[in-house]
Amino acid sequence: QIKKQVTKKTLDMIEALAEEKPDEFAAFWEGFGKVLKEGLHVDPANKDRLAGICRWRSSKGEGLTSLAQYVERMKEGQEQIYFVTGPTLDFCAKSPHIEGLKAKGYEVLYFVDAVDEWVAMALPEFEGKKLVSAMKGSIDLGDDEGEKPDAEAFDALTKAMKGVLEDRISDVRLTDRLTDSPVCLVAGEHDAGANLERILQAAGQAAPSSKRALELNAKHPLIANLQGIASKGGEEQFALLKEWTELLHDQALLTEGSPIADPADFARRMNALLLGASGNALEGLA
């Protein structure tokens, strides 16, 4: 009973501080926010109240925001709360996984504390809005069928890339998640993401390995060029496509914060492809 009363009074005080003195609450949150977030995972009885207290930075760039404030700002027709996980705010802000969301005007929460990975597991929804990771599962951002990429038109490329990467990925598919980047790696909806794997490894714990899907931005000129190469067939074309596929896969690993298997081979491949591209550029200037 003492524990319940102390917890209740403490939460009452914190909620009043957040409402009446937001500046003081912001300073309080910087010191104790991570501990309060742990409560979402270890104290189910107070999860709803703690969810209302918790704060994050977001793509709106307006300081700390609550889930309630996020919901108030949601675009008409938006049904989900989006977040991205990473080690720093800068990493999250530059993540290719949120390009499509930001282009649609959707706000994205930045989960940068290690405990946020467990917050995502403990808090599947807030006020009826599902929390969705921008780095997992499928995200449909097309307003109509006309905006969706034609998967059949890129069939030759996706099959060829699957053949190159084989058991290192779960799938190769088109996506509308990207706008500026050519590729990204996406974990399954219920799989551990790259950020959680890094956290567990840093703590000396075994990280559950999971294959991620390589998603392609069909509107990117590089992907369109590679589709043209894949459609021609032939050994020479496949050898060139293999180099580009390996390079793009390594690029996707780097942008999600994962190490690449062979940095020296990555540098060799990058130099070779840059040499060919610069030679073509020079011929064009002649």
Side-chain angles (χ1 to χ4, degrees), residues 40-91:
L40 290 168
H41 191 70
V42 301
D43 188 5
N46 291 295
K47 184 171 69 174
D48 291 341
R49 292 190 71 182
L50 286 167
I53 292 171
C54 285
R55 300 289 192 272
W56 291 271
R57 305 283 179 180
S58 83
S59 58
K60 289 295 183 183
E62 299 173 353
L64 294 170
T65 186
S66 67
L67 291 173
Q69 290 169 330
Y70 180 104
V71 171
E72 287 179 3
R73 292 194 293 262
M74 287 174 66
K75 292 189 64 177
E76 184 178 353
Q78 182 182 344
E79 297 296 331
Q80 298 171 324
I81 298 170
Y82 296 105
F83 67 90
V84 60
T85 59
T88 66
L89 288 172
D90 188 59
F91 178 95

Side-chain angles (χ1 to χ4, degrees), residues 1-75:
Q1 288 300 318
I2 292 173
K3 177 182 177 180
K4 287 182 180 178
Q5 287 302 314
V6 171
T7 301
K8 180 180 182 301
K9 291 294 184 181
T10 302
L11 292 177
D12 288 343
M13 179 192 70
I14 295 172
E15 288 172 342
L17 184 66
E19 183 176 351
E20 298 168 10
K21 301 178 180 179
D23 291 339
E24 291 184 22
F25 174 79
F28 167 82
W29 182 258
E30 290 299 322
F32 300 100
K34 294 178 184 179
V35 179
L36 288 171
K37 286 179 182 178
E38 290 179 9
L40 290 168
H41 191 70
V42 301
D43 188 5
N46 291 295
K47 184 171 69 174
D48 291 341
R49 292 190 71 182
L50 286 167
I53 292 171
C54 285
R55 300 289 192 272
W56 291 271
R57 305 283 179 180
S58 83
S59 58
K60 289 295 183 183
E62 299 173 353
L64 294 170
T65 186
S66 67
L67 291 173
Q69 290 169 330
Y70 180 104
V71 171
E72 287 179 3
R73 292 194 293 262
M74 287 174 66
K75 292 189 64 177

Side-chain angles (χ1 to χ4, degrees), residues 6-254:
V6 171
T7 301
K8 180 180 182 301
K9 291 294 184 181
T10 302
L11 292 177
D12 288 343
M13 179 192 70
I14 295 172
E15 288 172 342
L17 184 66
E19 183 176 351
E20 298 168 10
K21 301 178 180 179
D23 291 339
E24 291 184 22
F25 174 79
F28 167 82
W29 182 258
E30 290 299 322
F32 300 100
K34 294 178 184 179
V35 179
L36 288 171
K37 286 179 182 178
E38 290 179 9
L40 290 168
H41 191 70
V42 301
D43 188 5
N46 291 295
K47 184 171 69 174
D48 291 341
R49 292 190 71 182
L50 286 167
I53 292 171
C54 285
R55 300 289 192 272
W56 291 271
R57 305 283 179 180
S58 83
S59 58
K60 289 295 183 183
E62 299 173 353
L64 294 170
T65 186
S66 67
L67 291 173
Q69 290 169 330
Y70 180 104
V71 171
E72 287 179 3
R73 292 194 293 262
M74 287 174 66
K75 292 189 64 177
E76 184 178 353
Q78 182 182 344
E79 297 296 331
Q80 298 171 324
I81 298 170
Y82 296 105
F83 67 90
V84 60
T85 59
T88 66
L89 288 172
D90 188 59
F91 178 95
C92 290
K94 293 179 179 177
S95 172
H97 297 84
I98 65 174
E99 291 174 354
L101 291 169
K102 291 198 296 184
K104 288 286 186 180
Y106 296 154
E107 183 176 2
V108 183
L109 297 174
Y110 296 157
F111 280 19
V112 297
D113 294 329
V115 70
D116 283 331
E117 288 285 352
W118 284 267
V119 169
M121 298 178 196
L123 192 66
E125 65 175 43
F126 179 80
E127 294 185 356
K129 306 293 184 180
K130 184 179 178 181
L131 270 72
V132 174
S133 171
M135 306 175 80
K136 294 184 179 182
S138 59
I139 295 180
D140 185 5
L141 298 178
D143 293 332
D144 52 52
E145 291 298 323
E147 289 193 41
K148 297 182 184 297
D150 184 3
E152 291 186 4
F154 288 80
D155 194 50
L157 177 60
T158 55
K159 285 183 177 179
M161 296 181 91
K162 285 180 187 178
V164 172
L165 298 173
E166 295 181 325
D167 59 351
R168 285 176 284 169
I169 47 95
S170 62
D171 193 14
V172 178
R173 63 194 183 212
L174 301 185
T175 183
D176 54 6
R177 192 190 311 261
L178 302 168
T179 58
D180 301 322
S181 301
V183 298
C184 69
L185 286 167
V186 177
E189 184 176 354
H190 303 293
D191 292 339
N195 192 54
L196 180 56
E197 289 181 6
R198 287 194 299 274
I199 292 170
L200 293 175
Q201 289 168 357
Q205 301 182 31
S209 60
S210 60
K211 297 177 184 177
R212 290 184 272 283
L214 183 69
E215 292 196 343
L216 312 180
N217 178 6
K219 297 179 181 179
H220 197 283
L222 177 56
I223 299 302
N225 291 342
L226 294 181
Q227 166 57 23
I229 295 173
S231 64
K232 293 182 183 298
E235 293 184 7
E236 183 178 348
Q237 285 79 6
F238 181 78
L240 180 59
L241 189 62
K242 181 179 184 300
E243 291 291 280
W244 279 108
T245 299
E246 293 285 2
L247 182 67
L248 287 173
H249 181 250
D250 283 346
Q251 180 191 97
L253 286 170
L254 290 173

